[in-house]
Amino acid sequence: MKRITSFKIYAAACIVIAMSACENKGPASSSMHARPKIVVGLMVDQMRWDYMYKYSQRYGEGGFKRLLREGFSCENTLISHAPTVTAIGHSSVYTGSVPAITGIVGNSWYDREWGRQIENVEDTTVTGVGGKAGNQRSPRNLLTTTIGDELRMATNYQSKVVGVSIKDRGAILPAGHTANGAFWYDNDANSFITSTYYMNELPDWASRFNAINWKDSLMPGGWNTLYPLDSYTLSDKDDKTYEGTFSGEDKPVFPHTKADITNTPFGNTITFEFAKSAIEGYKLGEGAFTDMLAVSVSSPDKIGHRFGPNSIEVEDNYLRLDKDLENFFNYLDKRYGKDGYLFFITADHGANHSPGYLQENKIPSDAINEDTMKQQILASVKGKYGTADVIQTFTNGQIYLNYDVLAKKGLDRKAVAAYIADLFSRQKGYVCAVSRDDLATAPLPERIKSMFINGCNLKRSGDVFLIRSAGWKSGSLKGTAHGDWYPYDAHIPLVWLGHGIKHGKTNRTTGMVDIAPTLAALLQIQMPSGNIGEVITEISDQYMK
């Protein structure tokens, strides 16, 4: 009897020890390794791969340099789709998929069911919470799960997932369908907000954050350079004709006193500060299961579009972002320990150099006058078919045909699309235009064709895809743009740091779509439902043996 009682005590003790050992290991825990307390994903909107190195002599030791010194860098990470824009990039990273599967085909697109242009996270069934009218946003247009959704399901919704960004799409799409919360910034209200998809009122911690006047606190005199102006020798002069200006400014020069906070590097700062508040408000990383925080800093994209990659403004942004990163790492180290969190940094897309800058330096480039070009195309279409109404709209680098008009006139969609593609192919500033029916057989390298095929969703994409010439952009010679297949848009940084990650790098080609399945492997959960990526096995000996 005593032996039986002793055995029961021993067995109970073993169970307690086993449960303790399994703490924070997540679903179907094994004794192979403990899971991180939290996964933190950081996306830098419009971060070209070369920014990791271009300003490295000016970076401190605790930000980008720490990533490269202690983390694992996938040096040749490429985007698998075109167009290369924000909404697609954010959805691709966290789904491991492409627009053909996810349905996120652009920042906006013409929706044939609704009969109008829609925004990527638009949802008329919800209302904004915490801001002014509008902000009807949710992830419902995303057709697949995210890695956060899979984490939530794998733990019976005991893991918590939160998205934070200035842009709505930068918070909503990464966080996924089952997120505990997604928060983005309303410039009219000067506040982070959400929608009724997630909650009916802001948490108290978010309201307290919004009560702080961050602009007066961080930039009372506007935006000036972090260091003396003449030390920015890796950038062009401060006053260049290819730079844009803020409303109310006569010249694109420092100090910038007319900018709102989200159009400056301080937008990064408030994003990180709100992320910290979300960590504490939701108690992320404090439970028995791994949590996830998806952060996206949007201000680099706003700055880049206005001033271009070779501006002092962009350099100053990355020097300040480097300091924000160091502060954020210090916060995570203190809260979780260096091995307590898994971190990765990447981008949704890169950016072209400003056409004005390229022309000044004798590199082929120009700007496409879209209004003039469209009128020429419409005139040719009307001359051939008797009406220009066979074209529904020009948007997202694509042409949408009007199926009702085609049906009434008895016109063949494929023939009309091929004719319009031929018209665009003759236009200056385009390599070619290709009907979606001819993407697989177009006279282009396989990689380029694959990117456009991956970017084509048969229900949501247009009928003709426009492929711009290298270095060209639509609009003016000022600022920059993105959206093309070229390396300046499609080559992005990807560095892993923290729990289970070894130091090193690979120059093997990896993809944006490989991030989500790699996270799934690290966490030992199912990959997202639309995943087409592959696990990057080199980053961890501990996980990938």
Side-chain angles (χ1 to χ4, degrees):
M1 191 72 175
K2 288 182 179 179
R3 292 182 65 182
I4 295 175
T5 303
S6 298
F7 175 77
K8 288 182 177 179
I9 294 172
Y10 172 77
C14 287
I15 292 172
V16 172
I17 292 169
M19 291 176 64
S20 177
C22 288
E23 184 179 357
N24 220 26
K25 288 186 179 181
S29 297
S30 73
S31 59
M32 290 179 62
H33 59 79
R35 286 160 176 78
K37 298 173 183 176
I38 186 172
V39 175
V40 179
L42 176 63
M43 296 194 68
V44 183
D45 202 325
Q46 203 187 113
M47 184 175 180
R48 292 166 52 110
W49 169 81
D50 54 341
Y51 291 158
M52 289 290 296
Y53 298 97
K54 180 176 180 179
Y55 311 120
S56 61
Q57 68 185 47
R58 308 199 73 186
Y59 290 152
E61 294 300 319
F64 290 117
K65 282 186 177 179
R66 175 178 169 183
L67 280 168
L68 295 175
R69 185 178 63 250
E70 299 179 11
F72 191 97
S73 180
C74 300
E75 295 282 283
N76 195 29
T77 299
L78 302 176
I79 293 174
S80 306
H81 58 258
T84 47
V85 296
T86 298
I88 304 178
H90 281 77
S91 60
S92 184
V93 165
Y94 285 88
T95 63
S97 196
V98 292
I101 307 299
T102 67
I104 302 299
V105 298
N107 290 335
S108 63
W109 58 85
Y110 181 78
D111 189 280
R112 296 189 183 280
E113 183 179 347
W114 291 13
R116 64 175 177 86
Q117 191 86 359
I118 68 168
E119 296 298 315
N120 57 94
V121 289
E122 180 179 342
D123 183 354
T124 58
T125 69
V126 302
T127 57
V129 174
K132 297 188 177 180
N135 288 299
Q136 296 177 284
R137 301 290 184 260
S138 87
R140 286 198 173 106
N141 292 326
L142 178 65
L143 303 179
T144 67
T145 63
T146 64
I147 189 64
D149 292 327
E150 295 297 335
L151 178 62
R152 292 268 288 156
M153 289 189 286
T155 62
N156 197 27
Y157 303 95
Q158 295 178 80
S159 290
K160 289 169 281 189
V161 175
V162 179
V164 173
S165 179
I166 294 292
K167 294 183 181 180
D168 49 16
R169 53 191 176 268
I172 293 170
L173 295 172
H177 299 278
T178 64
N180 298 82
F183 302 88
W184 57 97
Y185 198 81
D186 183 340
N187 276 310
D188 292 331
N190 292 316
S191 298
F192 279 94
I193 65 170
T194 186
S195 79
T196 53
Y197 179 87
Y198 306 98
M199 61 198 75
N200 292 321
E201 59 182 23
L202 285 177
D204 289 341
W205 59 264
S207 297
R208 288 194 298 272
F209 183 95
N210 288 335
I212 300 171
N213 189 326
W214 289 98
K215 183 174 182 179
D216 284 354
S217 174
L218 295 173
M219 46 184 294
W223 173 20
N224 213 330
T225 53
L226 181 62
Y227 301 112
L229 193 64
D230 60 6
S231 70
Y232 289 72
T233 58
L234 291 170
S235 302
D236 213 336
K237 296 178 181 177
D238 191 27
D239 186 7
K240 299 297 294 186
T241 57
Y242 63 76
E243 294 180 298
T245 57
F246 290 112
S247 177
E249 289 187 345
D250 295 326
K251 291 185 176 183
V253 297
F254 284 99
H256 295 291
T257 59
K258 304 295 184 180
D260 68 61
I261 194 168
T262 63
N263 286 308
T264 74
F266 303 105
N268 305 328
T269 306
I270 63 170
T271 303
F272 281 116
E273 291 303 314
F274 191 86
K276 294 176 188 177
S277 293
I279 286 173
E280 295 167 15
Y282 281 103
K283 301 185 186 304
L284 299 181
E286 295 183 20
F289 297 91
T290 300
D291 296 326
M292 181 175 290
L293 175 66
V295 182
S296 175
V297 288
S298 309
S299 296
D301 184 70
K302 296 172 179 285
I303 295 166
H305 274 298
R306 180 171 275 108
F307 297 103
N310 296 284
S311 64
I312 292 175
E313 284 81 0
V314 165
E315 180 176 351
D316 193 66
N317 169 72
Y318 280 93
L319 297 182
R320 292 181 180 275
L321 178 57
D322 181 61
K323 291 186 175 297
D324 283 333
L325 262 181
E326 181 173 4
N327 290 334
F328 193 53
F329 287 149
N330 290 339
Y331 173 84
L332 296 176
D333 291 345
K334 183 176 180 180
R335 191 168 187 87
Y336 304 115
K338 286 189 175 183
D339 192 50
Y341 62 93
L342 172 62
F343 177 92
F344 71 88
I345 185 173
T346 190
D348 53 348
H349 55 75
N352 185 17
H353 292 289
S354 298
Y357 167 85
L358 293 174
Q359 288 184 346
E360 191 176 279
N361 289 278
K362 302 179 181 179
I363 298 174
S365 179
D366 210 336
I368 299 169
N369 187 323
E370 286 192 333
D371 291 337
T372 299
M373 176 211 48
K374 288 177 183 178
Q375 292 306 313
Q376 293 172 349
I377 295 295
L378 290 171
S380 296
V381 169
K382 183 177 182 180
K384 178 149 180 91
Y385 299 112
T387 176
D389 290 342
V390 296
I391 293 180
Q392 181 74 59
T393 189
F394 301 75
T395 186
N396 203 30
Q398 297 164 34
I399 308 302
Y400 287 73
L401 299 182
N402 188 321
Y403 293 168
D404 290 338
V405 172
L406 293 180
K408 288 177 182 178
K409 296 184 71 67
L411 296 172
D412 179 71
R413 182 189 65 79
K414 291 183 180 180
V416 174
Y419 172 72
I420 293 173
D422 182 63
L423 289 178
F424 270 99
S425 295
R426 302 177 190 181
Q427 296 289 318
K428 191 176 181 181
Y430 292 98
V431 172
C432 64
V434 183
S435 164
R436 76 181 189 196
D437 304 287
D438 298 328
L439 284 173
T441 58
L444 294 166
E446 285 299 322
R447 178 171 171 269
I448 302 173
K449 288 191 287 189
S450 293
M451 290 179 71
F452 282 93
I453 291 171
N454 287 341
C456 178
N457 182 283
L458 294 180
K459 292 184 177 180
R460 293 181 177 179
S461 295
D463 299 276
V464 179
F465 286 74
L466 311 181
I467 304 178
R468 281 186 295 224
S469 300
W472 285 62
K473 70 182 275 284
S474 299
S476 75
L477 299 175
K478 295 178 182 290
T480 191
H482 51 83
D484 297 314
W485 71 267
Y486 299 103
Y488 50 72
D489 279 347
H491 186 193
I492 55 174
L494 174 58
V495 188
W496 306 81
L497 179 74
H499 186 87
I501 303 300
K502 69 179 184 182
H503 169 61
K505 70 176 182 179
T506 179
N507 283 297
R508 176 178 70 84
T509 299
T510 53
M512 173 183 274
V513 293
D514 296 336
I515 297 171
T518 301
L519 288 170
L522 294 173
L523 298 174
Q524 294 184 329
I525 61 175
Q526 183 59 274
M527 60 186 67
S529 59
N531 177 75
I532 64 168
E534 298 180 358
V535 176
I536 306 170
T537 58
E538 298 96 318
I539 68 173
S540 175
D541 291 334
Q542 179 181 349
Y543 285 78
M544 306 299 187
K545 285 182 180 179

